[in-house]
Amino acid sequence: MNGDDAFRLGLIGSGLITAEAHLPAAIASPLIRVSAIVDTVPSHAERLAESAGIRPRISTRLGEVLHEIDGALIATPNHTHAPLALECLAAGVPVLVEKPLATSVREGEAIARAARESQRVAAVGYCTRFLENVLFMSTLLESKFFGSVRRFAYQFGAVGGWSSLSGFHLDRRAVGGGALVTVGTHFLDRMIRWFGYPDECGLEDDSLGGPEANALATFRYASGLEGRARFSRTIALQPGFVMEAERGTVLLREGPSEPLRFRPADHPIVECRLIRPGGPVYAEDRGMFEHQLEDFVGACREHREPRVSVEQGVEVIRLVEDLYSRRTSMRTDWYDAARRPVP
Amino acid sequence: MRTAVFGAAGFIGASFVEHLLAKGVQDIRPYIHSTGGGWRLSRYGLDLRAVDITDRKQVREAIDGCTHVVNATYGPKDVMHGGLENLLAASLASGVGRYVHISSVSVYGDCEPGTTLREDAAPTEELTDYGRMKLEQDQRVEASCRKGLPSVVLAPPNISGAYSPFLLRVLSAVRKGSLALVDGGQLPCSLVDVENLACAMERALFCDQADARRIFVTDGDTPTWRDLAERLAPLAGRPLSIPTVTRGQAQAITTVPVKRGSLSGTLRSVGSIIAGPSTGAILREDPFLSGGYRFLNERLPERAKRRLKALLGPRREPARQVRAERFDADLLRVQLRAVRHSSEAAKSVLAYQPALSFGESMEAFFLWYTVTHGFESDSWSALGQL
C-alpha cells in the first residue's frame, strides 16, 4: 500500500526506541507511511529521517502536525506521555503510547476517559503481547492445560540498559519509578493477563531517592497462587519465567523465538516444547513492533479494541502504584561495617 | 573541595562514589560515559552527567571548578589514550589540586612466580595489550605530573567484593566446571576488595606525596586460589570438587603454539615450557638442577636473559578459551602469575589500612550476591532451570 491509502503515522519522539524499534517497524509495514516526526530537538528527528531515507514533516510542536496524521505513536519520556496523548485525543487523533501509559493512575485514567469521549483508539505499547510464546501461554492458561497453578517466578537483569538520548530514565519523576517501571512493566502486564490482578503484593527495592536499580516484587492470589519477580539494572540474570502447576513445570526464557517448555509432573525426565497446532497467531518472520503497529492501524480502521487497551495500561500503572505504596528497603548493607562517616 | 569522578558508572568508579557518599562527602561530580550505565548511582538521586572524555570541550567543562579529579575510566584505545590526554590537559589547565589515576598490576607483566612484587620492579617485556595500554597511561600521567599536576597512581590487582566482575567470573567457572586449580590451588591470589581500594582512593585525594609513582593496593593478607574457590563454592551450589592441574599442564593449556606440526612450532612449544614463568620455581626445587638454574639466573646479564626468554618463550596470544580444553585458560594464566603484591608503600604514603580482610571481603560479596540474585530464595532453584 504505502500510497494514498496508507495510514499516516506521526512519530512523537525520536529517541532510541523510535530509532531502533518503531521507525523500522513502520517502514517495514505496507500499511503505514511515516508522515511526521515531532521532537523538541529537531536535529534528532532530522538525523533519524535522513538515516531511514524518508522525508516526513519535522516539527518541534505536536499541534502543528495533528491535522496531517491518522494516528500518533508517542515514544517520549514517560512523564510526557499523558499530556501528549491528551492533546492528540482532544484533536481526534488516535494514539499508541509507549509503555508505561503514564506515570500515575490519575493520568492514565484521564487518557482512558479522553479516548472514550472522543471515541478514538488509545493503545499501549506492551509489545511482548504480540509474541507467540506469550499468546500461546495465555491460551493454555485459559484452557486449564496445566491444571491449577501453584507458584511462579520471573527475573530480568542486565548490567545497565537503554541509553536514552535524554537520560530521562535516571530521573525518578520522569520515569515514574525505576527498574520496576522500565523493565518490570512488560512482565506485570503479562502477569495480569495470565493470572489476573493480584490480591496482595509487596515490594523491596534499593532506591535511596532516585530510580531503584533493583526490585523484588511478590504477589499472592486468593486461589493460593504465589509469585515473585526480580528486576535488576545492575546484575545480569538469565531472563525468564518459571511456573509450577498441578500438571507440571513451565519454563519460558524471555525472547521472541524462545519455546514454551513443559516438564510434565508425572514424567519429570521429559521436556516438551509446546506449539500451537495451527501455527502462530502472528507471523514470526515479522517483529513484534510491526505487529503492534498494524494492530493499532487495524483498531483505528475497524473501530475495534487494540490488543493492549488503554484500560489494561491503567491496570499496570495501578499495580505499580500498589507496589510502590508497599515498598520496603532492600538490604544494601554489605559495606556498612567498613564505612564510618567522617566526623 | 569538589571531586570529579570520571568512569562513575563502572565498577571502581561507582564503588568509590558510594564510598564517598557513605562517608558523608557531598560535593561529588560523578561523570558517566552513557546514561544506560548510570543505574547503580542514579538510585541515590544524584545528578549524573554523561561526558564523552574523548571530547576536549566536554572534559574542560566537566573539570571546571573541581579541585580533585579521579580517573576510573575504561574503554577502547581512543578513550584510554585520547581521553586520558584530555583529562590530564584539562586538570593541568584548571589547576586541579590532585589527580588520582587507577592503574593496574598488569603493567608489570608476568613476573617470576612466587615473588613479592614491589612497585619499583621493572615491567617485563611481554605485556598483554591491556598491560601495555595501562603502562602507557601511567607514563602520560608521570609526564603531566612533571608539568605540575600532583598525581597519585594506584595499581590494584584483581578486584573483589560486591559487584566484582572478577569474582563473578570465577564463580561462573566454578559453576560450569571450567575452573581448574593449579597445583591444588596453593598459588597465591592477589586481591583487593573494591571497598579497600575506595579507601585508598580517598586517602590518595589528601596524601602528601603526589609524584605519580605507582602504589599497589591490596587486602594485605593474600589468600590462595583454593581459599577463594572454597569461599565461592557454596554460591555455585555444588560441593567443592574442583579439578586440579599441574603447572606444566596449565602452561600447556595457556600457551598456544605458533606453528602446529612444524619443527619450529615444536621447538617453541618445548621452549615455552622451559622458559615459562613456573619453570624457575620447579627448577629451584630440584636438588640437581637448582645449581645450574641459579648460575644462569645470577650470572647472565638481564638483556641476555630477556633475549633467551624471547627466543624460547611462549608467544603470548590474546586471552581466550582453548577450544580443546574444558578449562578456562584465562583463569589458569592468572593463577600461573603466582605473584604477591606488597602494599607497604600504600601504608606509608597513603596511611592506608585495609578496612576489610579477605574473609570479610568474601562475606560482603556473599551478602551482595545473595540479596541481588535471590540466592537460596524460594524461587532460586526454580529459576535455575531456565
Side-chain angles (χ1 to χ4, degrees), chain A residues 89-328:
Chain A
L89 291 167
V93 173
V95 288
L96 166 57
V97 185
E98 242 308 334
K99 61 92 192 170
L101 174 64
T103 52
S104 70
V105 170
R106 189 178 53 78
E107 286 179 346
E109 284 178 338
I111 298 171
R113 198 164 43 248
R116 274 195 306 274
E117 288 169 1
S118 64
Q119 297 186 323
R120 292 293 184 274
V121 170
V124 189
Y126 287 111
C127 54
T128 64
R129 280 234 249 135
F130 294 83
L131 296 177
E132 174 59 15
N133 51 25
V134 172
L135 288 164
F136 195 35
M137 180 76 178
S138 299
T139 306
L140 293 171
L141 283 166
E142 280 164 19
S143 67
K144 308 281 183 198
F145 177 83
F146 305 111
S148 61
V149 182
R150 294 172 188 144
R151 63 176 191 152
F152 65 82
Y154 175 82
Q155 64 181 11
F156 186 103
V159 182
W162 283 94
S163 293
S164 64
L165 282 180
S166 63
F168 82 94
H169 64 272
L170 301 178
D171 177 352
R172 188 173 184 90
R173 191 187 64 85
V175 174
L180 177 70
V181 174
T182 59
V183 294
T185 46
H186 274 302
F187 175 72
L188 297 183
D189 168 66
R190 293 196 300 260
M191 186 192 84
I192 295 172
R193 303 280 69 77
W194 288 344
F195 308 114
Y197 199 92
D199 296 292
E200 287 175 42
C201 63
L203 180 74
E204 268 182 36
D205 73 41
D206 63 357
S207 169
L208 291 165
E212 78 279 355
N214 288 278
L216 174 65
T218 52
F219 312 99
R220 194 184 289 265
Y221 291 77
S223 64
L225 170 62
E226 289 182 354
R228 55 172 54 205
R230 181 179 295 279
F231 311 107
S232 177
R233 282 301 197 189
T234 60
I235 58 162
L237 296 168
Q238 170 61 55
F241 171 80
V242 179
M243 182 183 84
E244 289 174 9
E246 187 185 351
R247 299 207 180 107
T249 303
V250 176
L251 302 149
L252 178 57
R253 284 187 175 188
E254 188 89 6
S257 50
E258 290 293 340
L260 202 53
R261 295 149 60 198
F262 179 57
R263 294 179 184 166
D266 51 354
H267 290 89
I269 56 166
V270 173
E271 182 173 295
C272 320
R273 292 187 170 200
L274 303 177
I275 298 167
R276 196 191 299 268
V281 173
Y282 293 101
E284 290 189 293
D285 58 341
R286 301 169 70 204
M288 58 185 172
F289 288 98
E290 202 176 326
H291 291 309
Q292 176 177 265
L293 265 176
E294 292 194 350
D295 173 69
F296 171 61
V297 173
C300 294
R301 288 188 164 158
E302 297 156 21
H303 305 288
R304 62 164 171 81
E305 280 284 289
R307 179 166 285 282
V308 186
S309 70
V310 68
E311 286 78 15
Q312 291 172 351
V314 175
E315 258 189 317
V316 176
I317 309 173
R318 193 181 309 283
L319 183 52
V320 167
E321 283 193 358
D322 278 350
L323 284 164
Y324 279 133
S325 70
R326 289 164 174 78
R327 82 167 285 277
T328 56

Side-chain angles (χ1 to χ4, degrees), chain A residues 151 153 160-164 169 206 208-212 228 230 233 235 242 253 263 331 334-335 339-340 342, chain B residues 22-23 34-36 39 42-45 161-162 193-195 364 367-368 371-374 378-379 382-383 385-386:
Chain A
R151 63 176 191 152
W162 283 94
S163 293
S164 64
H169 64 272
D206 63 357
L208 291 165
E212 78 279 355
R228 55 172 54 205
R230 181 179 295 279
R233 282 301 197 189
I235 58 162
V242 179
R253 284 187 175 188
R263 294 179 184 166
R331 279 189 76 173
W334 31 88
Y335 284 133
R339 291 170 175 163
R340 291 172 191 85
V342 175
Chain B
K23 294 270 181 167
S34 65
T35 59
W39 282 91
S42 68
R43 67 193 184 88
Y44 290 88
D193 187 280
V194 72
E195 177 62 16
L367 176 58
W368 168 77
V371 170
T372 55
H373 291 70
D378 290 345
S379 53
L383 288 163
Q385 300 173 73
L386 281 170

Side-chain angles (χ1 to χ4, degrees), chain B residues 20 22 64 115 198 264 269 299 342 362:
Chain B
L20 291 182
D64 188 36
T115 52
S264 60
S269 297
R299 298 292 173 86
S342 165
M362 293 307 292

